[in-house]
Amino acid sequence: MTDAILVYDDDCGFCTWWAEYFDERTDLRIVGFSDLTDDMLERLPEEYEDCSHLVTDDGVYSCGASIEEAFVRTDIAKPAGEAVEFLRQFEDYERFRERSYRWVADNRDRWGTYLSKTPPARQKSDDG
């Protein structure tokens, strides 16, 4: 069991699809922006709503690093862990990872037409 927490935009259908993907394939705890506690907010960067985060006892992975770390923790990608550890040594890889994350995040409306779930934040507002 892990104490790691994936924090994501729970008002985004594409983000929700990925959060559920990781929830089904890891032991990460999944927490949406709308459910953050004061303690969690203290651990996150000031502009936390700019991207997802993976919070562990050792620190916080943000943006591309958060998705990479979540992916490595999935049941299907654990063997890739050593390759990712190797790639993390290179600044070019880090730049590529973060640019890729930003491109996908900036186009999540488009991606959401293919991969999307009703976001929890919208479910709550629809019920009320």
Side-chain angles (χ1 to χ4, degrees):
M1 188 59 115
T2 182
D3 291 332
I5 301 166
L6 179 65
V7 178
Y8 77 104
D9 181 356
D10 59 349
D11 192 31
C12 163
F14 178 70
C15 306
T16 300
W17 188 92
W18 277 105
E20 289 186 13
Y21 175 89
F22 290 125
D23 192 36
E24 293 170 3
R25 291 168 176 81
T26 68
D27 58 357
L28 293 171
R29 198 170 111 215
I30 310 296
V31 177
F33 290 163
S34 67
D35 292 324
L36 289 171
T37 63
D38 290 340
D39 290 340
M40 285 292 304
L41 285 168
E42 286 180 22
R43 298 215 43 212
L44 296 175
E46 189 173 314
E47 304 288 328
Y48 74 90
E49 292 178 310
D50 288 347
C51 63
S52 64
H53 309 277
L54 196 140
V55 181
T56 69
D57 290 340
D58 298 327
V60 177
Y61 299 87
S62 294
C63 304
S66 71
I67 298 303
E68 173 192 78
E69 187 64 24
F71 185 69
V72 168
R73 293 168 182 248
T74 64
D75 50 2
I76 60 171
K78 282 187 182 175
E82 288 181 23
V84 170
E85 284 301 316
F86 174 75
L87 291 171
R88 285 178 178 166
Q89 299 176 66
F90 304 100
E91 290 179 22
D92 287 341
Y93 168 73
E94 183 177 328
R95 280 192 294 274
F96 172 76
R97 179 192 67 210
E98 296 308 317
R99 280 189 204 138
S100 298
Y101 176 90
R102 184 52 40 209
W103 182 80
V104 170
D106 289 347
N107 291 285
R108 59 189 176 171
D109 287 343
R110 182 182 336 166
W111 289 107
T113 62
Y114 305 105
L115 305 171
S116 186
K117 297 268 185 156
T118 302
R122 294 188 191 172
Q123 290 173 354
K124 292 175 189 174
S125 65
D126 291 345
D127 294 340

